[in-house]
Amino acid sequence: MASPSTPPCAACKFLRRKCLPECVFAAYFPPDQPQRFASVHKIFGAGNVAKLLNELRPNQRQDCVASLAYEADMRLRDPIYGCVGVISVLQHRLRQLRIDLSCAKSELSKYQSITISGAAHGSLAANHL
Amino acid sequence: MASPSTPPCAACKFLRRKCLPECVFAAYFPPDQPQRFASVHKIFGAGNVAKLLNELRPNQRQDCVASLAYEADMRLRDPIYGCVGVISVLQHRLRQLRIDLSCAKSELSKYQSITISGAAHGSLAANHL
């Protein structure tokens, strides 16, 4: 929110418009982070972002802007896959880790069954003494 | 691409404009999937999507549209976090799986060291016979 002593928010500066006290962007796009708004505007468009923010409660907007900024950055870095590429990488790692865990558990169960049968054998042998 | 016999693509139908042979949307937004374009347009805006597609090679555009459609769907389902929420969930699962794998490996190494020391003990005993 701009007053005569505060500069306009990054969004209003980018859009070359007056930053009014009720500006929906001001709380989330401070003037010292001009790139954040530029990226979000390039990918989603200022109008769509304003519409999204206006449909949320004020306490939800900071998280929404953070996630939009992340998505926008990812799309600028990877125009084909954006953050869906990150999801694919994570899903691939998850599949690999599940395989590794399953192998480790299966190996562990072999050792455990050897230990149990060994203990049972020992106890049988003791019964014969 | 529309001809007199083909209907306009979902994007041109949504935007109520003529679907010209050079339409950048036609190959990726067929008329039988109107919701796909509606979602992508609502979140990114038709202009931004057209700009993105025009900056890519034709063989990259199908994947780009699929990722945009996924991101748009996620944002419509979860307006605060969108597909960044999916990334958080996957990262949380990855952390949990890494902990589980580390526990399994540590337990496994205990069994393995017991087996090795048992074998060494057995071999020492055999040397004394």
Side-chain angles (χ1 to χ4, degrees):
Chain A
M1 268 167 272
S3 80
S5 59
T6 55
C9 75
C12 291
K13 198 174 176 193
F14 186 97
L15 301 170
R16 293 166 191 273
R17 65 183 197 182
K18 206 170 174 235
C19 193
L20 299 170
E22 65 272 21
C23 172
V24 73
F25 297 124
Y28 319 105
F29 295 102
D32 59 340
Q33 290 176 39
Q35 192 52 49
R36 192 182 211 200
F37 182 77
S39 305
V40 163
H41 174 60
K42 185 165 183 182
I43 300 302
F44 296 99
N48 285 342
V49 175
K51 223 187 297 169
L52 248 169
L53 292 179
N54 280 321
E55 284 167 4
L56 296 173
R57 291 197 302 272
N59 67 346
Q60 299 173 318
R61 292 178 189 166
Q62 191 71 62
D63 284 353
C64 177
V65 169
S67 71
L68 289 172
Y70 178 79
E71 268 187 68
D73 276 350
M74 288 298 115
R75 181 63 62 181
L76 290 171
R77 283 193 213 181
D78 178 353
I80 305 173
Y81 298 103
C83 75
V84 181
V86 177
I87 292 178
S88 298
V89 168
L90 292 175
Q91 282 174 331
H92 177 78
R93 281 191 201 150
L94 264 176
R95 271 194 297 274
Q96 193 51 55
L97 268 178
R98 281 196 188 112
I99 292 169
D100 293 350
L101 183 61
S102 162
C103 288
K105 281 187 169 173
S106 139
E107 211 174 334
L108 199 53
S109 72
K110 281 184 212 157
Y111 279 104
Q112 283 165 338
S113 66
I114 290 168
T115 314
I116 289 164
S117 74
H121 207 75
S123 130
L124 273 174
N127 286 340
H128 279 86
L129 289 176
Chain B
M1 268 169 270
S3 79
S5 60
T6 55
C9 75
C12 290
K13 196 173 176 193
F14 186 97
L15 301 169
R16 294 168 191 269
R17 65 183 196 182
K18 207 171 173 232
C19 193
L20 299 170
E22 64 273 19
C23 173
V24 73
F25 296 124
Y28 318 106
F29 295 102
D32 60 338
Q33 290 176 39
Q35 192 51 50
R36 193 183 210 200
F37 182 78
S39 305
V40 163
H41 174 60
K42 186 166 183 180
I43 299 302
F44 297 98
N48 285 341
V49 175
K51 224 187 297 169
L52 249 169
L53 292 179
N54 280 321
E55 285 167 5
L56 295 174
R57 291 199 301 273
N59 67 345
Q60 299 173 318
R61 293 178 188 165
Q62 190 71 63
D63 283 353
C64 177
V65 168
S67 72
L68 289 171
Y70 179 79
E71 267 188 69
D73 275 350
M74 288 298 114
R75 181 65 60 180
L76 290 170
R77 283 192 213 180
D78 177 354
I80 306 173
Y81 298 103
C83 75
V84 180
V86 177
I87 291 177
S88 298
V89 168
L90 292 176
Q91 283 174 332
H92 178 78
R93 282 192 200 149
L94 263 177
R95 272 194 296 275
Q96 194 50 56
L97 268 178
R98 281 195 187 113
I99 293 169
D100 293 349
L101 182 62
S102 161
C103 288
K105 281 186 168 174
S106 140
E107 210 175 334
L108 200 52
S109 72
K110 280 184 214 158
Y111 279 104
Q112 283 165 340
S113 66
I114 291 168
T115 314
I116 290 164
S117 74
H121 207 75
S123 130
L124 272 174
N127 285 342
H128 278 88
L129 289 177

mmCIF file of all heavy atoms in Angstrom, chain A residues 76-114:
data_model
loop_
_atom_site.group_PDB
_atom_site.id
_atom_site.type_symbol
_atom_site.label_atom_id
_atom_site.label_comp_id
_atom_site.label_asym_id
_atom_site.label_seq_id
_atom_site.Cartn_x
_atom_site.Cartn_y
_atom_site.Cartn_z
ATOM 1 N N LEU A 76 9.828 -20.427 -16.566
ATOM 2 C CA LEU A 76 10.814 -19.622 -17.291
ATOM 3 C C LEU A 76 12.111 -20.408 -17.505
ATOM 4 O O LEU A 76 12.752 -20.290 -18.543
ATOM 5 C CB LEU A 76 11.092 -18.307 -16.543
ATOM 6 C CG LEU A 76 9.922 -17.304 -16.566
ATOM 7 C CD1 LEU A 76 10.192 -16.139 -15.629
ATOM 8 C CD2 LEU A 76 9.667 -16.785 -17.985
ATOM 9 N N ARG A 77 12.474 -21.240 -16.503
ATOM 10 C CA ARG A 77 13.690 -22.063 -16.638
ATOM 11 C C ARG A 77 13.473 -23.203 -17.612
ATOM 12 O O ARG A 77 14.377 -23.616 -18.313
ATOM 13 C CB ARG A 77 14.035 -22.682 -15.277
ATOM 14 C CG ARG A 77 14.678 -21.725 -14.319
ATOM 15 C CD ARG A 77 15.243 -22.534 -13.160
ATOM 16 N NE ARG A 77 15.174 -21.773 -11.945
ATOM 17 C CZ ARG A 77 15.603 -22.217 -10.777
ATOM 18 N NH1 ARG A 77 16.110 -23.423 -10.684
ATOM 19 N NH2 ARG A 77 15.536 -21.472 -9.708
ATOM 20 N N ASP A 78 12.266 -23.781 -17.572
ATOM 21 C CA ASP A 78 11.970 -24.961 -18.396
ATOM 22 C C ASP A 78 10.625 -24.726 -19.086
ATOM 23 O O ASP A 78 9.577 -25.126 -18.579
ATOM 24 C CB ASP A 78 11.907 -26.207 -17.486
ATOM 25 C CG ASP A 78 11.563 -27.474 -18.251
ATOM 26 O OD1 ASP A 78 11.251 -27.391 -19.453
ATOM 27 O OD2 ASP A 78 11.614 -28.555 -17.643
ATOM 28 N N PRO A 79 10.637 -24.040 -20.235
ATOM 29 C CA PRO A 79 9.370 -23.640 -20.868
ATOM 30 C C PRO A 79 8.501 -24.820 -21.304
ATOM 31 O O PRO A 79 7.308 -24.658 -21.476
ATOM 32 C CB PRO A 79 9.823 -22.820 -22.082
ATOM 33 C CG PRO A 79 11.232 -22.428 -21.810
ATOM 34 C CD PRO A 79 11.803 -23.538 -20.975
ATOM 35 N N ILE A 80 9.085 -25.998 -21.484
ATOM 36 C CA ILE A 80 8.263 -27.142 -21.924
ATOM 37 C C ILE A 80 7.537 -27.789 -20.745
ATOM 38 O O ILE A 80 6.340 -28.033 -20.801
ATOM 39 C CB ILE A 80 9.119 -28.223 -22.635
ATOM 40 C CG1 ILE A 80 9.902 -27.588 -23.788
ATOM 41 C CG2 ILE A 80 8.241 -29.359 -23.161
ATOM 42 C CD1 ILE A 80 10.904 -28.511 -24.440
ATOM 43 N N TYR A 81 8.258 -28.074 -19.668
ATOM 44 C CA TYR A 81 7.661 -28.834 -18.565
ATOM 45 C C TYR A 81 7.374 -28.014 -17.304
ATOM 46 O O TYR A 81 6.577 -28.447 -16.465
ATOM 47 C CB TYR A 81 8.550 -30.027 -18.212
ATOM 48 C CG TYR A 81 8.688 -31.000 -19.357
ATOM 49 C CD1 TYR A 81 9.834 -31.039 -20.139
ATOM 50 C CD2 TYR A 81 7.633 -31.848 -19.674
ATOM 51 C CE1 TYR A 81 9.940 -31.916 -21.209
ATOM 52 C CE2 TYR A 81 7.736 -32.731 -20.736
ATOM 53 C CZ TYR A 81 8.897 -32.760 -21.500
ATOM 54 O OH TYR A 81 8.990 -33.623 -22.557
ATOM 55 N N GLY A 82 8.028 -26.870 -17.135
ATOM 56 C CA GLY A 82 7.803 -26.061 -15.932
ATOM 57 C C GLY A 82 7.976 -26.905 -14.675
ATOM 58 O O GLY A 82 8.816 -27.802 -14.647
ATOM 59 N N CYS A 83 7.171 -26.650 -13.666
ATOM 60 C CA CYS A 83 7.365 -27.404 -12.418
ATOM 61 C C CYS A 83 6.785 -28.811 -12.516
ATOM 62 O O CYS A 83 6.991 -29.623 -11.608
ATOM 63 C CB CYS A 83 6.862 -26.632 -11.207
ATOM 64 S SG CYS A 83 5.125 -26.596 -11.028
ATOM 65 N N VAL A 84 6.108 -29.130 -13.620
ATOM 66 C CA VAL A 84 5.667 -30.515 -13.837
ATOM 67 C C VAL A 84 6.910 -31.397 -14.067
ATOM 68 O O VAL A 84 6.913 -32.586 -13.729
ATOM 69 C CB VAL A 84 4.662 -30.603 -15.011
ATOM 70 C CG1 VAL A 84 4.182 -32.023 -15.231
ATOM 71 C CG2 VAL A 84 3.469 -29.690 -14.739
ATOM 72 N N GLY A 85 7.978 -30.781 -14.597
ATOM 73 C CA GLY A 85 9.252 -31.499 -14.734
ATOM 74 C C GLY A 85 9.819 -31.872 -13.371
ATOM 75 O O GLY A 85 10.359 -32.964 -13.200
ATOM 76 N N VAL A 86 9.664 -30.970 -12.401
ATOM 77 C CA VAL A 86 10.126 -31.245 -11.031
ATOM 78 C C VAL A 86 9.325 -32.430 -10.461
ATOM 79 O O VAL A 86 9.890 -33.332 -9.836
ATOM 80 C CB VAL A 86 9.951 -29.998 -10.122
ATOM 81 C CG1 VAL A 86 10.363 -30.287 -8.688
ATOM 82 C CG2 VAL A 86 10.729 -28.817 -10.682
ATOM 83 N N ILE A 87 8.008 -32.427 -10.714
ATOM 84 C CA ILE A 87 7.144 -33.520 -10.236
ATOM 85 C C ILE A 87 7.601 -34.857 -10.832
ATOM 86 O O ILE A 87 7.702 -35.862 -10.126
ATOM 87 C CB ILE A 87 5.652 -33.217 -10.560
ATOM 88 C CG1 ILE A 87 5.184 -32.040 -9.706
ATOM 89 C CG2 ILE A 87 4.768 -34.452 -10.349
ATOM 90 C CD1 ILE A 87 3.760 -31.598 -9.960
ATOM 91 N N SER A 88 7.921 -34.852 -12.133
ATOM 92 C CA SER A 88 8.379 -36.096 -12.777
ATOM 93 C C SER A 88 9.668 -36.603 -12.144
ATOM 94 O O SER A 88 9.808 -37.802 -11.888
ATOM 95 C CB SER A 88 8.642 -35.871 -14.268
ATOM 96 O OG SER A 88 7.470 -35.502 -14.902
ATOM 97 N N VAL A 89 10.617 -35.679 -11.888
ATOM 98 C CA VAL A 89 11.893 -36.067 -11.273
ATOM 99 C C VAL A 89 11.639 -36.664 -9.889
ATOM 100 O O VAL A 89 12.183 -37.719 -9.534
ATOM 101 C CB VAL A 89 12.848 -34.847 -11.186
ATOM 102 C CG1 VAL A 89 14.045 -35.149 -10.305
ATOM 103 C CG2 VAL A 89 13.302 -34.420 -12.579
ATOM 104 N N LEU A 90 10.786 -35.995 -9.097
ATOM 105 C CA LEU A 90 10.502 -36.483 -7.746
ATOM 106 C C LEU A 90 9.819 -37.848 -7.792
ATOM 107 O O LEU A 90 10.136 -38.737 -6.987
ATOM 108 C CB LEU A 90 9.635 -35.479 -6.978
ATOM 109 C CG LEU A 90 10.301 -34.143 -6.624
ATOM 110 C CD1 LEU A 90 9.298 -33.199 -5.970
ATOM 111 C CD2 LEU A 90 11.485 -34.355 -5.683
ATOM 112 N N GLN A 91 8.881 -38.025 -8.749
ATOM 113 C CA GLN A 91 8.187 -39.317 -8.853
ATOM 114 C C GLN A 91 9.166 -40.421 -9.240
ATOM 115 O O GLN A 91 9.076 -41.542 -8.742
ATOM 116 C CB GLN A 91 7.055 -39.221 -9.881
ATOM 117 C CG GLN A 91 5.828 -38.514 -9.321
ATOM 118 C CD GLN A 91 4.749 -38.267 -10.342
ATOM 119 O OE1 GLN A 91 5.052 -38.118 -11.525
ATOM 120 N NE2 GLN A 91 3.512 -38.199 -9.907
ATOM 121 N N HIS A 92 10.118 -40.078 -10.108
ATOM 122 C CA HIS A 92 11.125 -41.062 -10.510
ATOM 123 C C HIS A 92 11.984 -41.462 -9.297
ATOM 124 O O HIS A 92 12.247 -42.640 -9.068
ATOM 125 C CB HIS A 92 11.997 -40.466 -11.620
ATOM 126 C CG HIS A 92 13.106 -41.362 -12.054
ATOM 127 N ND1 HIS A 92 12.900 -42.437 -12.894
ATOM 128 C CD2 HIS A 92 14.427 -41.364 -11.746
ATOM 129 C CE1 HIS A 92 14.053 -43.065 -13.069
ATOM 130 N NE2 HIS A 92 14.996 -42.431 -12.394
ATOM 131 N N ARG A 93 12.404 -40.440 -8.501
ATOM 132 C CA ARG A 93 13.218 -40.728 -7.300
ATOM 133 C C ARG A 93 12.434 -41.572 -6.309
ATOM 134 O O ARG A 93 12.980 -42.466 -5.664
ATOM 135 C CB ARG A 93 13.628 -39.414 -6.617
ATOM 136 C CG ARG A 93 14.792 -38.765 -7.314
ATOM 137 C CD ARG A 93 15.354 -37.628 -6.464
ATOM 138 N NE ARG A 93 16.105 -36.719 -7.292
ATOM 139 C CZ ARG A 93 16.250 -35.427 -7.078
ATOM 140 N NH1 ARG A 93 15.695 -34.865 -6.024
ATOM 141 N NH2 ARG A 93 16.956 -34.679 -7.881
ATOM 142 N N LEU A 94 11.129 -41.259 -6.163
ATOM 143 C CA LEU A 94 10.277 -42.023 -5.241
ATOM 144 C C LEU A 94 10.208 -43.484 -5.662
ATOM 145 O O LEU A 94 10.345 -44.382 -4.823
ATOM 146 C CB LEU A 94 8.861 -41.444 -5.232
ATOM 147 C CG LEU A 94 8.520 -40.453 -4.135
ATOM 148 C CD1 LEU A 94 7.113 -39.921 -4.332
ATOM 149 C CD2 LEU A 94 8.603 -41.116 -2.760
ATOM 150 N N ARG A 95 10.000 -43.723 -6.983
ATOM 151 C CA ARG A 95 9.932 -45.106 -7.485
ATOM 152 C C ARG A 95 11.233 -45.834 -7.172
ATOM 153 O O ARG A 95 11.232 -46.955 -6.705
ATOM 154 C CB ARG A 95 9.690 -45.104 -9.006
ATOM 155 C CG ARG A 95 8.219 -45.097 -9.390
ATOM 156 C CD ARG A 95 8.037 -45.445 -10.856
ATOM 157 N NE ARG A 95 8.649 -44.459 -11.737
ATOM 158 C CZ ARG A 95 8.076 -43.342 -12.155
ATOM 159 N NH1 ARG A 95 6.853 -43.046 -11.756
ATOM 160 N NH2 ARG A 95 8.702 -42.510 -12.969
ATOM 161 N N GLN A 96 12.386 -45.141 -7.414
ATOM 162 C CA GLN A 96 13.693 -45.758 -7.185
ATOM 163 C C GLN A 96 13.887 -46.079 -5.706
ATOM 164 O O GLN A 96 14.337 -47.160 -5.347
ATOM 165 C CB GLN A 96 14.795 -44.818 -7.704
ATOM 166 C CG GLN A 96 16.159 -45.475 -7.808
ATOM 167 C CD GLN A 96 16.113 -46.796 -8.593
ATOM 168 O OE1 GLN A 96 15.652 -46.827 -9.729
ATOM 169 N NE2 GLN A 96 16.557 -47.883 -7.962
ATOM 170 N N LEU A 97 13.513 -45.120 -4.842
ATOM 171 C CA LEU A 97 13.655 -45.339 -3.399
ATOM 172 C C LEU A 97 12.770 -46.476 -2.907
ATOM 173 O O LEU A 97 13.173 -47.239 -2.029
ATOM 174 C CB LEU A 97 13.303 -44.062 -2.633
ATOM 175 C CG LEU A 97 14.449 -43.110 -2.319
ATOM 176 C CD1 LEU A 97 13.925 -41.878 -1.610
ATOM 177 C CD2 LEU A 97 15.479 -43.795 -1.412
ATOM 178 N N ARG A 98 11.555 -46.589 -3.494
ATOM 179 C CA ARG A 98 10.644 -47.680 -3.095
ATOM 180 C C ARG A 98 11.255 -49.026 -3.470
ATOM 181 O O ARG A 98 11.149 -49.989 -2.713
ATOM 182 C CB ARG A 98 9.275 -47.511 -3.770
ATOM 183 C CG ARG A 98 8.436 -46.480 -3.061
ATOM 184 C CD ARG A 98 6.958 -46.572 -3.464
ATOM 185 N NE ARG A 98 6.246 -45.439 -2.889
ATOM 186 C CZ ARG A 98 5.716 -44.448 -3.583
ATOM 187 N NH1 ARG A 98 5.800 -44.436 -4.890
ATOM 188 N NH2 ARG A 98 5.093 -43.470 -2.969
ATOM 189 N N ILE A 99 11.909 -49.086 -4.641
ATOM 190 C CA ILE A 99 12.579 -50.329 -5.063
ATOM 191 C C ILE A 99 13.722 -50.640 -4.092
ATOM 192 O O ILE A 99 13.854 -51.766 -3.604
ATOM 193 C CB ILE A 99 13.117 -50.194 -6.515
ATOM 194 C CG1 ILE A 99 11.950 -50.107 -7.499
ATOM 195 C CG2 ILE A 99 14.038 -51.360 -6.872
ATOM 196 C CD1 ILE A 99 12.352 -49.712 -8.915
ATOM 197 N N ASP A 100 14.552 -49.610 -3.779
ATOM 198 C CA ASP A 100 15.685 -49.810 -2.858
ATOM 199 C C ASP A 100 15.203 -50.284 -1.489
ATOM 200 O O ASP A 100 15.787 -51.189 -0.897
ATOM 201 C CB ASP A 100 16.475 -48.492 -2.685
ATOM 202 C CG ASP A 100 17.175 -48.084 -3.967
ATOM 203 O OD1 ASP A 100 17.213 -48.906 -4.907
ATOM 204 O OD2 ASP A 100 17.672 -46.943 -4.047
ATOM 205 N N LEU A 101 14.119 -49.662 -1.004
ATOM 206 C CA LEU A 101 13.589 -50.034 0.314
ATOM 207 C C LEU A 101 13.056 -51.456 0.299
ATOM 208 O O LEU A 101 13.279 -52.227 1.241
ATOM 209 C CB LEU A 101 12.483 -49.040 0.727
ATOM 210 C CG LEU A 101 11.872 -49.246 2.100
ATOM 211 C CD1 LEU A 101 12.918 -49.105 3.193
ATOM 212 C CD2 LEU A 101 10.736 -48.246 2.359
ATOM 213 N N SER A 102 12.374 -51.798 -0.799
ATOM 214 C CA SER A 102 11.816 -53.141 -0.902
ATOM 215 C C SER A 102 12.946 -54.182 -0.929
ATOM 216 O O SER A 102 12.841 -55.232 -0.284
ATOM 217 C CB SER A 102 10.948 -53.190 -2.162
ATOM 218 O OG SER A 102 10.717 -54.483 -2.552
ATOM 219 N N CYS A 103 14.049 -53.889 -1.654
ATOM 220 C CA CYS A 103 15.200 -54.806 -1.689
ATOM 221 C C CYS A 103 15.806 -54.950 -0.293
ATOM 222 O O CYS A 103 16.108 -56.065 0.156
ATOM 223 C CB CYS A 103 16.286 -54.275 -2.636
ATOM 224 S SG CYS A 103 15.827 -54.416 -4.349
ATOM 225 N N ALA A 104 15.993 -53.804 0.391
ATOM 226 C CA ALA A 104 16.595 -53.831 1.726
ATOM 227 C C ALA A 104 15.724 -54.632 2.686
ATOM 228 O O ALA A 104 16.216 -55.446 3.470
ATOM 229 C CB ALA A 104 16.786 -52.404 2.236
ATOM 230 N N LYS A 105 14.392 -54.447 2.590
ATOM 231 C CA LYS A 105 13.476 -55.173 3.488
ATOM 232 C C LYS A 105 13.494 -56.666 3.196
ATOM 233 O O LYS A 105 13.417 -57.482 4.113
ATOM 234 C CB LYS A 105 12.059 -54.613 3.348
ATOM 235 C CG LYS A 105 11.860 -53.314 4.110
ATOM 236 C CD LYS A 105 10.415 -52.886 4.085
ATOM 237 C CE LYS A 105 10.179 -51.738 5.058
ATOM 238 N NZ LYS A 105 8.826 -51.201 4.936
ATOM 239 N N SER A 106 13.580 -56.987 1.906
ATOM 240 C CA SER A 106 13.572 -58.404 1.547
ATOM 241 C C SER A 106 14.862 -59.075 2.040
ATOM 242 O O SER A 106 14.826 -60.192 2.574
ATOM 243 C CB SER A 106 13.370 -58.517 0.028
ATOM 244 O OG SER A 106 14.171 -59.485 -0.523
ATOM 245 N N GLU A 107 16.016 -58.383 1.913
ATOM 246 C CA GLU A 107 17.285 -58.921 2.395
ATOM 247 C C GLU A 107 17.247 -59.063 3.923
ATOM 248 O O GLU A 107 17.675 -60.059 4.487
ATOM 249 C CB GLU A 107 18.426 -58.000 1.973
ATOM 250 C CG GLU A 107 19.730 -58.759 1.738
ATOM 251 C CD GLU A 107 20.833 -57.873 1.181
ATOM 252 O OE1 GLU A 107 20.495 -56.859 0.529
ATOM 253 O OE2 GLU A 107 22.006 -58.181 1.430
ATOM 254 N N LEU A 108 16.657 -58.033 4.560
ATOM 255 C CA LEU A 108 16.545 -58.025 6.015
ATOM 256 C C LEU A 108 15.707 -59.207 6.492
ATOM 257 O O LEU A 108 16.049 -59.876 7.475
ATOM 258 C CB LEU A 108 15.888 -56.700 6.429
ATOM 259 C CG LEU A 108 16.043 -56.225 7.852
ATOM 260 C CD1 LEU A 108 17.502 -56.188 8.265
ATOM 261 C CD2 LEU A 108 15.440 -54.818 7.989
ATOM 262 N N SER A 109 14.607 -59.491 5.769
ATOM 263 C CA SER A 109 13.725 -60.579 6.208
ATOM 264 C C SER A 109 14.448 -61.926 6.087
ATOM 265 O O SER A 109 14.186 -62.835 6.873
ATOM 266 C CB SER A 109 12.410 -60.563 5.427
ATOM 267 O OG SER A 109 12.645 -60.998 4.126
ATOM 268 N N LYS A 110 15.389 -62.043 5.117
ATOM 269 C CA LYS A 110 16.166 -63.288 5.005
ATOM 270 C C LYS A 110 17.028 -63.473 6.258
ATOM 271 O O LYS A 110 17.047 -64.530 6.860
ATOM 272 C CB LYS A 110 17.068 -63.232 3.773
ATOM 273 C CG LYS A 110 16.347 -63.521 2.466
ATOM 274 C CD LYS A 110 17.352 -63.525 1.313
ATOM 275 C CE LYS A 110 16.713 -63.024 0.047
ATOM 276 N NZ LYS A 110 17.688 -62.507 -0.904
ATOM 277 N N TYR A 111 17.742 -62.393 6.630
ATOM 278 C CA TYR A 111 18.586 -62.461 7.830
ATOM 279 C C TYR A 111 17.749 -62.783 9.062
ATOM 280 O O TYR A 111 18.149 -63.583 9.911
ATOM 281 C CB TYR A 111 19.321 -61.129 8.053
ATOM 282 C CG TYR A 111 20.564 -60.979 7.213
ATOM 283 C CD1 TYR A 111 20.576 -60.172 6.093
ATOM 284 C CD2 TYR A 111 21.743 -61.658 7.550
ATOM 285 C CE1 TYR A 111 21.716 -60.025 5.310
ATOM 286 C CE2 TYR A 111 22.887 -61.524 6.779
ATOM 287 C CZ TYR A 111 22.875 -60.698 5.662
ATOM 288 O OH TYR A 111 24.008 -60.574 4.912
ATOM 289 N N GLN A 112 16.564 -62.121 9.129
ATOM 290 C CA GLN A 112 15.714 -62.330 10.303
ATOM 291 C C GLN A 112 15.229 -63.768 10.369
ATOM 292 O O GLN A 112 15.190 -64.372 11.440
ATOM 293 C CB GLN A 112 14.542 -61.339 10.282
ATOM 294 C CG GLN A 112 14.999 -59.945 10.703
ATOM 295 C CD GLN A 112 13.996 -58.853 10.371
ATOM 296 O OE1 GLN A 112 13.150 -59.030 9.497
ATOM 297 N NE2 GLN A 112 14.106 -57.725 11.053
ATOM 298 N N SER A 113 14.877 -64.369 9.197
ATOM 299 C CA SER A 113 14.391 -65.752 9.213
ATOM 300 C C SER A 113 15.532 -66.709 9.571
ATOM 301 O O SER A 113 15.313 -67.697 10.270
ATOM 302 C CB SER A 113 13.744 -66.122 7.878
ATOM 303 O OG SER A 113 14.723 -66.112 6.869
ATOM 304 N N ILE A 114 16.783 -66.386 9.123
ATOM 305 C CA ILE A 114 17.955 -67.217 9.493
ATOM 306 C C ILE A 114 18.160 -67.169 11.009
ATOM 307 O O ILE A 114 18.334 -68.187 11.673
ATOM 308 C CB ILE A 114 19.232 -66.718 8.767
ATOM 309 C CG1 ILE A 114 19.140 -67.035 7.276
ATOM 310 C CG2 ILE A 114 20.495 -67.355 9.362
ATOM 311 C CD1 ILE A 114 20.189 -66.335 6.429
#
